[in-house]
Amino acid sequence: MSDPLKLVAVLILVILGTRLSAWGEEVPKGGSKVFPYPVQVTGLENGLKVVAVPFDSPGLLAYWTVVRAGSRNEIEPGKSGFAHFFEHMMFRGTDAYPRERYNAVLKELGADHNAFTTDDYTAYHVLAPASGLETIMTLESDRFMNLKYTVEDFKKEAGAVLGEYNKSASSPFQTLNEKMRDAAFTTHTYKHTTIGFLRDVQDMPNQYEYSLKFFDRYYRPENCTLLVVGDVDPKRLVDLARKYYGTWKRGTYRVEIPAEPPQTEEKRVDADWPNPTQPYLHIGYHAPAFSDTQVDLPALDLVSQLLFSDAAPLYQKLVVEEQEVDLLAGGAADHRDPYLFEITARVKKPERVGYVESTITSALEDLKTTPIAADRLAKVKSHMKYSFAMGLDTAGSAARSLAHFIALSVDPESVNRLYATYDRITPDDVRAAARRYFARTGRTVVTLGHKGAAAGGAVTGR
């Protein structure tokens, strides 16, 4: 139901930096819009935004509710993990539609439903026959407006979340992610992962009253967008939205996210893994927030492709030719606030970690001085563009892509503005971004290995 269950795959995709977000979808360029389908946005009086995207999928639609509340919103100490927790609780039911009835109605429709949580938002999605639109809207509006759970329900689900954490903890990727965030961030809520600090997850059964406060703050119409892609009539969708969501009361809470101060010196963390494993190298450089008009983050997206795609010289050198690593990925995932450009390598031999680190660092340094050939940059842009376009082949994939941009900017048009920005990035822009963000003083290095491996493997060769 949530991203932590797929932590290994998600982390690799996130650090690849591919568009859009953690789904491996990238994005077109040129004169036409990269998202080619008509988009109609309507704002209801209570602040709920309704986005209709007619799509050639006869008899089928994707129904998404995007809540702009993720782990970023967990500002109180000791209260991390609640955005992800509500992803679970939203399936607990209401007086009108208890959990069993909710599931039964969707099953009768032949609908598929699920949800996921990220740092910046939570998304609930249903793939169903278009004929069931009003039924789906009845169910979804009811649970967003009338969610109800007992203390016992709350404690039971909190236990399930702890079990999910423990399951994910069996992967080195969760430890790498936790150590990186905890070291790289001192103030911003990106310091903790989406599932939260372990100590907070363990204490969650005692936080029933706070859970009600969290729901009251963020599950409000002005903080949500209803997105329907597929066989849908925009006017009917808006009419139904007014009917079923019109009485949803607007909230008053305004969150203030603490800003992260600049990092002024390199940080290093050496993590021990209890069982034999290949060593991991995880490097993070502070990077800018998502923007669909400023060139910095899009330029770093191009760096991701130039250095860490399968065809990139650095990838070919370390993975194919020298066979020093069997996993190499890097990129800056979209975030509402400044986050990280992350690089991960799984090294075959402990004593070669230092060499791999120095080779990656040299490649980043080379970007600061040697301009990328214009034709190579153009090929990377073209690849990103058409990879994204080919990923918009179903109502569900188109909805997932657009939901990502809605969560970041509230405006579906941001996807088209972003790709217009890619178009105008020059080799000089790439070089300037490398100089600005790949500074040793702004990076954090996490190494993970088993203490029974060769001593000093994390530092030799540097």
Side-chain angles (χ1 to χ4, degrees):
M1 186 183 296
S2 70
D3 280 358
L5 285 175
K6 304 174 183 176
L7 186 65
V8 174
V10 168
L11 179 61
I12 293 173
L13 288 168
V14 165
I15 61 181
L16 280 171
T18 52
R19 302 291 173 190
L20 309 167
S21 79
W23 309 107
E25 299 155 350
E26 303 170 23
V27 195
K29 83 175 187 187
S32 60
K33 292 183 177 181
V34 65
F35 192 87
Y37 308 109
V39 179
Q40 178 176 310
V41 181
T42 303
L44 301 191
E45 291 75 9
N46 60 5
L48 178 69
K49 290 180 177 59
V50 181
V51 180
V53 183
F55 183 96
D56 187 16
S57 57
L60 188 68
L61 57 79
Y63 187 107
W64 284 61
T65 307
V66 180
V67 184
R68 295 187 88 208
S71 50
R72 169 184 183 269
N73 297 71
E74 297 156 2
I75 56 174
E76 291 96 341
K79 303 297 192 297
S80 67
F82 270 89
H84 168 248
F85 175 78
F86 267 101
E87 176 206 316
H88 285 246
M89 293 308 300
M90 284 294 288
F91 291 90
R92 277 285 167 181
T94 66
D95 286 338
Y97 291 93
R99 183 176 190 168
E100 294 75 15
R101 188 181 177 201
Y102 173 88
N103 289 331
V105 172
L106 288 177
K107 184 176 181 180
E108 288 175 10
L109 282 177
D112 181 32
H113 67 290
N114 215 319
F116 62 86
T117 312
T118 73
D119 292 341
D120 294 317
Y121 68 100
T122 307
Y124 302 85
H125 50 96
V126 182
L127 187 65
S131 59
L133 175 61
E134 188 164 5
T135 299
I136 296 167
M137 194 166 283
T138 303
L139 294 175
E140 294 302 280
S141 63
D142 178 57
R143 69 169 174 159
F144 274 82
M145 296 165 62
N146 304 308
L147 177 66
K148 185 176 181 181
Y149 53 88
T150 65
V151 175
E152 290 72 25
D153 290 336
F154 174 84
K155 290 184 176 181
K156 183 177 181 180
E157 205 61 55
V161 172
L162 178 59
E164 185 176 321
Y165 179 97
N166 290 333
K167 180 179 180 180
S168 296
S170 63
S171 165
F173 287 96
Q174 174 160 305
T175 297
L176 286 170
N177 196 15
E178 288 180 335
K179 297 292 186 183
M180 173 59 70
R181 288 170 177 251
D182 193 34
F185 291 96
T186 63
T187 308
H188 194 281
T189 44
Y190 290 153
K191 184 177 180 67
H192 61 263
T193 65
T194 302
I195 201 169
F197 288 122
L198 175 58
R199 59 182 179 272
D200 296 345
V201 177
Q202 291 171 330
D203 188 55
M204 201 169 275
N206 303 318
Q207 299 296 334
Y208 174 78
E209 293 299 327
Y210 178 79
S211 76
L212 302 178
K213 182 186 296 185
F214 188 93
F215 183 77
D216 184 67
R217 284 177 177 176
Y218 298 116
Y219 281 70
R220 293 288 187 170
E222 73 279 6
N223 203 41
C224 297
T225 297
L226 171 61
L227 168 65
V228 180
V229 179
D231 189 356
V232 60
D233 174 64
K235 184 181 184 303
R236 179 169 182 258
L237 175 65
V238 172
D239 290 343
L240 288 173
R242 286 200 169 98
K243 176 181 177 180
Y244 288 101
Y245 290 92
T247 59
W248 195 4
K249 301 298 182 184
R250 182 190 289 264
T252 59
Y253 181 76
R254 297 293 179 269
V255 65
E256 293 186 11
I257 308 296
E260 182 67 24
Q263 184 172 326
T264 58
E265 61 181 7
E266 182 184 67
K267 300 177 182 179
R268 286 187 169 266
V269 179
D270 185 16
D272 180 34
W273 191 248
N275 303 312
T277 182
Q278 290 175 236
Y280 289 78
L281 173 67
H282 194 35
I283 305 171
Y285 292 87
H286 283 274
F290 171 81
S291 172
D292 55 25
T293 57
Q294 302 299 312
V295 301
D296 283 13
L297 188 62
L300 293 180
D301 292 337
L302 296 173
V303 169
S304 173
Q305 295 296 315
L306 291 165
L307 291 187
F308 301 102
S309 65
D310 290 358
L314 176 64
Y315 185 96
Q316 287 292 310
K317 174 182 173 68
L318 288 176
V319 179
V320 180
E321 297 167 8
E322 298 179 352
Q323 298 187 22
E324 295 280 3
V325 305
D326 59 13
L327 181 154
L328 180 65
D334 293 336
H335 281 74
R336 289 178 64 181
D337 297 327
Y339 188 64
L340 301 171
F341 188 105
E342 297 177 271
I343 303 162
T344 294
R346 185 167 59 202
V347 187
K348 292 188 175 182
K349 298 178 180 179
E351 65 272 14
R352 301 297 288 172
V353 173
Y355 169 75
V356 171
E357 180 186 332
S358 64
T359 302
I360 293 171
T361 301
S362 294
L364 295 173
E365 290 297 318
D366 191 52
L367 284 177
K368 300 177 183 180
T369 57
T370 306
I372 298 296
D375 61 340
R376 185 178 173 214
L377 190 62
K379 288 179 181 178
V380 168
K381 292 178 184 180
S382 178
H383 170 73
M384 292 178 67
K385 166 179 128 179
Y386 289 107
S387 294
F388 173 74
M390 291 180 68
L392 302 176
D393 56 343
T394 67
S397 61
R400 185 182 291 274
S401 298
L402 204 58
H404 171 74
F405 287 97
I406 288 171
L408 289 167
S409 67
V410 192
D411 183 1
E413 262 310 297
S414 64
V415 60
N416 293 315
R417 287 194 297 270
L418 173 66
Y419 279 86
T421 300
Y422 281 130
D423 283 351
R424 62 185 176 87
I425 291 175
T426 66
D428 285 343
D429 291 327
V430 174
R431 184 167 52 180
R435 289 172 175 171
R436 185 173 297 117
Y437 296 104
F438 297 136
R440 185 177 290 270
T441 53
R443 79 174 180 179
T444 300
V445 180
V446 179
T447 55
L448 180 147
H450 180 54
K451 292 302 183 184
V459 295
T460 55
R462 291 202 305 113

